[in-house]
Every structure is written in structure tokens, then in C-alpha cells.
Amino acid sequence: MQKLLILAFIGFFAQLIDGALGMAYGVSSSSLLLAFGIAPAVASASVHLSEVATTAASGISHIKFGNVDRKMVYRLIIPGSIGAFTGACFLSSLPGDVAKPYVSTFLMLLGFYVLFRFLFVFRKSEEAEAKPLSIKQSIPLGLIAGFADATGGGGWGPIATPILLTKKGMSARKVVGTVDTSEFAIAVAATVGFVISLGWESVNWMWVAALVIGGVIAAPIAAWIVRIVPPQLMGLLVGGFIILVNARTMVNTWVANASFHPYIYLLLVLGWGAAIIFGVRKMNQDVKGISQVS
């Protein structure tokens, strides 16, 4: 019962992040599941099974409110599904103890990417300067993001969302809606790959149900939080959190001398704090600049 409550909290926390940023449900929940000792393939399978429910609800809502570029969804779901299915089969073929440090490394890199994006690349403007993604561009994006999503337990949003945000012709709300809606197909494809490779008996339905319940409860709260907490600040908090959660596995695996471990954690925490301070100052400067112009 205690583990189910923890999993429900993980689903709640991950959906809270995803609802505020339009990304990081898989990365956050997978990182926490790995931290609790769950095997990488089982963790990713559980996350994607829960995402089948959460992305379906999210996609229907986005379509209803006109937040979806249907043409872009169609361009992304086929290569994304192929990449997700391939990634699921690949991860399932690896022993859990062997895969865990590499999956944590990938998730940690995603954490640094999220941190970097919201520190230096994030923009408030609705439109950007580049052209929309062509079919030739959407195919490699879908394949890479889908494969990364299945092998790392997350990655579709952190990879697809910032790329689409740099393209002209899609507003920020349509980027989030398009990525969330297309993620349903990626979650289904990854789940099929895990089921074929691992079998239904490896799925703990109570774990999946707990993740779904936590996510459903968090969804309306996330919609309220996103109106209060600046998305740039939320991104900095999430990026650092993902790095710290996965640092434990990496440090224990790659750093043999345990006496160095506290210093590594301290360095990461100080770096995270510095990034938050720098980000807050940057946000304040942006607000002052806008007020002076107006």
C-alpha cells in the first residue's frame, strides 16, 4: 500500500510538471521510478501504459479547444511510433542492472537540456522566425524523439516541443497541444513493444493505476499553477530536479571513491541554485524591459 501511494504521488508530481510545461511527464516519473529501484524496462513500460490514459485525455481536450495542428500530428505519429516501438524492444533486451546507469545518464542529459533551454533559449513570444517542419524534417524528429522516449522513459516532449517552438506558424499553445496529442500514438507504440518483449505478466497494473490516478488528480491543479508560476522558473526547477534524481545512480556506478560523492552532489546543488538565481534575474530584467517599452 505504501508503494502504491508513492507511485500515485509520482504520477501526481509528474503530471503537475507536464501540465505546467507541456513536457517532462515521462522523464520525471521514470527518474523517480528508477530511484525507487524499479528496473528500467519495467519503469518505462509502466510510464507508457499510464501515458496511454493521460495522453488520450489530454489529446481530446486539446482537439476540443483547437490547440492541435492536425497536419503536424500526422507527420509525427508514424515515425514517432516506429522509433518508440524500436526503442521499447531495444530496452527490453538489456539486463536491468546493465541498462539502469545508461538510462539514468540519458535522463540526466535531458535534465541538463531542459535546464539549458529554460535558462537561455526560452522565449515568451508566440511566434518564431523559422519555417514550419517539412515532412523530411519531421521524420528524423519523430524517429529520434520516439526512440529516446521509449528507451529513457521520456523524451518525446523535451525533444519535440522545443524544436516545434522554434518554427514559425505554430503558436505555443498549438505546439503543446500537437505534441501532447501525438504522444498518445507514441505511448501506444512503446507499450506494444514492451508487451511483446516483456509479456503482460511483467506489467504491474496496480502500479499503472496508481500513476494514472495521481496524474488525473494533478491535471486541474497544474492548469491552475501554470497561471501563477512562470514557466521559465518551473523549467529550471524541473531540470535541476531531474539531474539530482539521476545523479545518484550515475555517481554510484561511475565514481568508485565514495568520499567524492558528497562533493559531487554539493556541486550539482550549487549549480542548480546558481541557475535558478540567474534565471530569476533574467526574468526580472525581461519584465523591466517590457514595461519600459510599453
Side-chain angles (χ1 to χ4, degrees):
M1 187 64 183
Q2 184 178 0
K3 177 172 280 190
L4 291 178
L5 291 174
I6 292 174
L7 289 171
F9 174 76
I10 290 174
F12 177 89
F13 181 77
Q15 183 58 43
L16 205 62
I17 295 169
D18 195 82
L21 299 178
M23 66 175 71
Y25 176 89
V27 180
S28 303
S29 53
S30 297
S31 298
L32 289 168
L33 290 176
L34 287 177
F36 279 100
I38 297 175
V42 176
S44 187
S46 301
V47 168
H48 283 91
L49 272 168
S50 66
E51 279 187 315
V52 171
T54 57
T55 55
S58 179
I60 292 171
S61 299
H62 281 302
I63 291 172
K64 182 179 179 180
F65 289 104
N67 295 337
V68 178
D69 185 326
R70 295 173 183 256
K71 182 183 293 186
M72 188 58 61
V73 169
Y74 297 142
R75 289 182 179 181
L76 289 174
I77 58 175
I78 294 178
S81 298
I82 294 172
F85 179 83
T86 305
C89 295
F90 172 76
L91 181 62
S92 300
S93 66
L94 298 177
D97 292 338
V98 174
K100 189 173 182 179
Y102 294 100
V103 173
S104 291
T105 300
F106 174 74
L107 291 171
M108 190 173 183
L109 290 175
L110 277 180
F112 277 112
Y113 176 77
V114 171
L115 201 66
F116 176 83
R117 175 180 176 256
F118 283 93
L119 195 61
F120 299 108
V121 184
F122 179 81
R123 62 180 72 185
K124 288 186 177 181
S125 60
E126 284 280 300
E127 306 291 339
E129 300 84 13
K131 295 180 180 179
L133 281 180
S134 65
I135 296 178
K136 290 183 179 180
Q137 291 173 321
S138 62
I139 289 176
L141 172 61
L143 288 172
I144 294 171
F147 185 86
D149 193 86
T151 54
W156 180 257
I159 294 175
T161 298
I163 291 178
L164 292 182
L165 280 173
T166 65
K167 303 303 173 183
K168 187 177 180 180
M170 289 185 69
S171 64
R173 66 179 182 86
K174 281 209 169 187
V175 168
V176 173
T178 299
V179 172
D180 281 355
T181 302
S182 60
E183 193 171 8
F184 171 74
I186 278 66
V188 171
T191 299
V192 172
F194 283 120
V195 169
I196 292 175
S197 302
L198 298 175
W200 286 108
E201 61 276 4
S202 65
V203 177
N204 190 315
W205 293 103
M206 295 296 290
W207 294 0
V208 175
L211 288 171
V212 171
I213 292 172
V216 170
I217 294 174
I221 300 175
W224 173 73
I225 286 180
V226 74
R227 300 174 60 184
I228 300 175
V229 180
Q232 186 172 7
L233 176 59
M234 182 67 76
L236 294 175
L237 294 172
V238 172
F241 174 79
I242 293 170
I243 292 170
L244 287 180
V245 170
N246 290 282
R248 180 174 176 272
T249 298
M250 291 188 59
V251 169
N252 290 337
T253 302
W254 307 114
V255 182
N257 193 336
S259 62
F260 289 113
H261 294 186
Y263 298 104
I264 296 175
Y265 297 138
L266 178 61
L267 184 62
L268 290 174
V269 170
L270 291 176
W272 185 20
I276 293 174
I277 294 172
F278 179 80
V280 171
R281 288 182 176 177
K282 185 179 178 182
M283 285 187 290
N284 291 334
Q285 290 175 355
D286 292 340
V287 171
K288 290 180 180 179
I290 294 174
S291 61
Q292 289 175 356
V293 171
S294 59

